[in-house]
Amino acid sequence: MSQTSESKVPDGRGTNAYHADPAFAALLSRYLPGPLHRILEPRLARMGGLVGDRHEQLALTADKNPAYKELVRYAFGEFGLAAMSHRGGVFGAPDTLHPMAKYALVYLFVQAEFGLCYPLSMTDSLTRTLRKFGSDDLVSRYLDRLTSQDMDSLYQGAMFVIEQTAGSDVGAVETVARQQDGGWKIYGDKWFCSNPDAALAMVLARPEDGENGARGLSLFLLPRQLPDGRLNDYRIIRLKDKMGTRSMASGEIVLEGAEAYLVGEPGKGFKQMTDMINMSRLANGVRSAGLMRRSVAEALHISRHRRAFGKPLMDMPLMRRQLAKMLLASEQARSMVFHTAHVLDGADRGDAAKASVLRILTPLVKFRACRDARKVAGDAMEVRGGCGYIEEWSDARVLRDAHLGSIWEGTSNIVALDVIRAARREGAFDAIDAYLRDCLSEVDAPLAERLGAAVDRVAVLLRTTSGQDGPAELSETRRAASSVYNIASAVFLAWEGARLAGSHLSVAADRQRLADLMLSEKLGLCDPLAPAEPEPDWLPGLMLRAGHDAGVSRVAAE
């Protein structure tokens, strides 16, 4: 970036992304166990400094030229982001870390670099699936390398599922698995494979005698290199010329009798892969929330320091209205993904009720947060103006990357239908309905009463849409999914406010105000021709606390 550009166009470069976000630190004090919070605090500050400076430089470079290996060293090596959920030792902790530790660090990391998050997520999710369904022999053979923080021994993971004739319709997969020479050989084409040179990949294939549809698929672990040192029998045909995530390669792969190892039971591959996909969907939501935070923080910074027509942009009512909408989407996504990680911890500890809640929260996060990220990133580019369209800044890169979130692991229609499927077939809405009301028991009236009434209304819509109270109205699927996302995030915002009331008064008040704003902006009846309500008198203070200028620390990371 030129000196002229730096002096005339406000830019948040050099800001510590953790220190400049006091609400984030306050939320972590409630979502992280106390001892872990103390362990993680200096690492979060370290990551925040890197994100604001060194990682930002590397990400801009890696979007066009090689700079990827250094980012890998930070993410997989120094911070152990793919290891901490599967073994002790990361940050000196004797045991695996709470899911929130990983998601908190990724939430910061993605504010600079998005592309590397796919290999991180796939390595983490593959390891989880392998540990959950794989044989003892496979786990003992590969776990140490999948969770290594040594770049010379690390094995990265990938997921090879998509075929040209079977995109979201996974049951139409044509890749064939044959039993030959005492093992399994895989034949077929995989059309979109990110991180294609990963050491290990999970692959869906249909055994020759398998039935049609998703029930006939099995899950296989595909090594790039065989035990005798030979490369496996598959080839990368070409790399994709992609709109975004340019720092990470994606390619087309042809499998020509590649050796693979069966994971779990034959014919259960789709169900087992779904577990991996769900974890990747949550990670995708965390990334989208992080991108929104980056976009909003930068837009707030610009609005305070850029002057037009003799005054700061922030003093202009239209700009404040635009920023308020961006901030609301960003904060509801943050609450949604953090609380989902909180529920995930309970589900992994054997809480069946929370497992049912997780079943519907995960596609909700994937559906709505990932779509909102596209809008928020685009609005942030507009706030910077013409300079936002120039590749010297990160606005264009962030916007390109934001679009991928609603495509990975299922497009919006597919994921919205998954929400309805969970509600109809698995009783997931009954579980989340009870859970939301339990959360509201901690929230003071009258906010709890207003939110409870909204829960009632959303329940009616979802039951009608899913066919629980009559014929299904699937044309309303997206509206129903958005409504459940909005009420869940509003309740979680209010719950956070209640939990923080005794220690972080300003953050607690802001969470409750945002929950109340959700009722009017996204869950209330709106007459588009009615006179506008006056701007809340608390909104300017909330924006000040939410921006880069709150608690700014411009300490560049080494």
Side-chain angles (χ1 to χ4, degrees), residues 23-55:
F24 181 37
L27 289 170
L28 291 181
S29 73
R30 289 297 172 265
Y31 280 114
L32 284 170
L36 178 57
H37 187 228
R38 291 188 289 274
I39 291 172
L40 212 60
E41 184 85 22
R43 275 80 183 190
L44 290 162
R46 163 75 169 155
M47 180 71 86
L50 288 166
V51 164
D53 188 56
R54 181 59 179 158
H55 282 180

Side-chain angles (χ1 to χ4, degrees), residues 228-305:
D228 62 7
R230 292 183 296 117
L231 290 177
N232 208 346
D233 292 318
Y234 67 89
R235 295 179 291 128
I236 301 173
I237 301 301
R238 71 181 181 107
L239 297 181
K240 301 288 193 182
D241 185 7
K242 299 179 296 181
M243 172 182 169
T245 60
R246 295 175 178 176
S247 61
M248 173 203 61
S250 300
E252 297 173 21
I253 285 177
V254 59
L255 300 129
E256 303 169 313
E259 289 188 30
Y261 311 112
L262 182 67
V263 176
E265 296 180 51
K268 301 290 187 181
F270 179 70
K271 182 177 181 180
Q272 294 157 0
M273 178 66 84
T274 298
D275 183 79
M276 182 175 178
I277 291 171
N278 280 337
M279 289 304 96
S280 185
R281 283 177 173 176
L282 174 53
N284 204 345
V286 173
R287 295 191 292 267
S288 293
L291 288 177
M292 281 191 269
R293 168 61 198 173
R294 162 67 189 269
S295 299
V296 168
E298 197 70 25
L300 289 169
H301 179 80
I302 293 164
S303 297
R304 289 196 192 95
H305 297 281

Side-chain angles (χ1 to χ4, degrees), residues 236-487:
I236 301 173
I237 301 301
R238 71 181 181 107
L239 297 181
K240 301 288 193 182
D241 185 7
K242 299 179 296 181
M243 172 182 169
T245 60
R246 295 175 178 176
S247 61
M248 173 203 61
S250 300
E252 297 173 21
I253 285 177
V254 59
L255 300 129
E256 303 169 313
E259 289 188 30
Y261 311 112
L262 182 67
V263 176
E265 296 180 51
K268 301 290 187 181
F270 179 70
K271 182 177 181 180
Q272 294 157 0
M273 178 66 84
T274 298
D275 183 79
M276 182 175 178
I277 291 171
N278 280 337
M279 289 304 96
S280 185
R281 283 177 173 176
L282 174 53
N284 204 345
V286 173
R287 295 191 292 267
S288 293
L291 288 177
M292 281 191 269
R293 168 61 198 173
R294 162 67 189 269
S295 299
V296 168
E298 197 70 25
L300 289 169
H301 179 80
I302 293 164
S303 297
R304 289 196 192 95
H305 297 281
R306 182 73 181 267
R307 298 180 66 86
F309 309 107
K311 57 184 177 180
L313 297 182
M314 181 64 79
D315 290 347
M316 300 177 179
L318 283 177
M319 177 59 73
R320 283 201 306 275
R321 177 65 176 163
Q322 181 178 351
L323 292 170
K325 289 182 176 181
M326 294 166 63
L327 179 62
L328 186 60
S330 174
E331 291 297 340
Q332 71 170 136
R334 172 151 66 177
S335 292
M336 196 71 171
V337 298
F338 286 4
H339 205 96
T340 302
H342 172 70
V343 170
L344 170 63
D345 180 62
D348 280 350
R349 294 176 187 273
D351 187 324
K354 285 189 176 177
S356 295
V357 174
L358 182 69
R359 174 64 184 88
I360 198 168
L361 286 181
T362 305
L364 283 173
V365 163
K366 169 64 174 67
F367 170 65
R368 191 71 257 168
C370 295
R371 290 185 62 80
D372 287 349
R374 296 171 4 193
K375 178 70 165 59
V376 171
D379 283 355
M381 173 186 280
E382 185 177 321
V383 171
R384 199 186 296 276
C387 289
Y389 201 68
I390 306 302
E391 299 285 349
E392 294 177 49
W393 286 267
S394 284
D395 303 78
R397 177 175 56 85
V398 170
L399 179 58
R400 288 195 300 270
D401 289 346
H403 275 263
L404 187 55
S406 54
I407 298 175
W408 269 352
E409 291 93 34
T411 57
S412 298
N413 286 344
I414 293 296
V415 181
L417 286 167
D418 192 36
V419 172
I420 301 303
R421 186 182 304 112
R424 182 174 66 243
R425 298 181 186 172
E426 302 173 42
F429 185 73
D430 290 338
I432 196 174
D433 183 77
Y435 184 76
L436 293 178
R437 296 181 194 281
D438 186 56
C439 289
L440 286 176
S441 68
E442 300 186 37
V443 178
D444 291 339
L447 178 57
E449 294 171 359
R450 293 198 300 273
L451 288 168
V455 172
D456 293 338
R457 291 170 47 230
V458 170
V460 171
L461 174 61
L462 187 62
R463 292 184 192 283
T464 301
T465 305
S466 65
Q468 292 177 305
D469 287 342
E473 296 285 348
L474 292 181
S475 62
E476 293 294 324
T477 293
R478 292 170 70 108
R479 186 165 72 97
S482 290
S483 297
V484 181
Y485 176 86
N486 287 334
I487 188 55

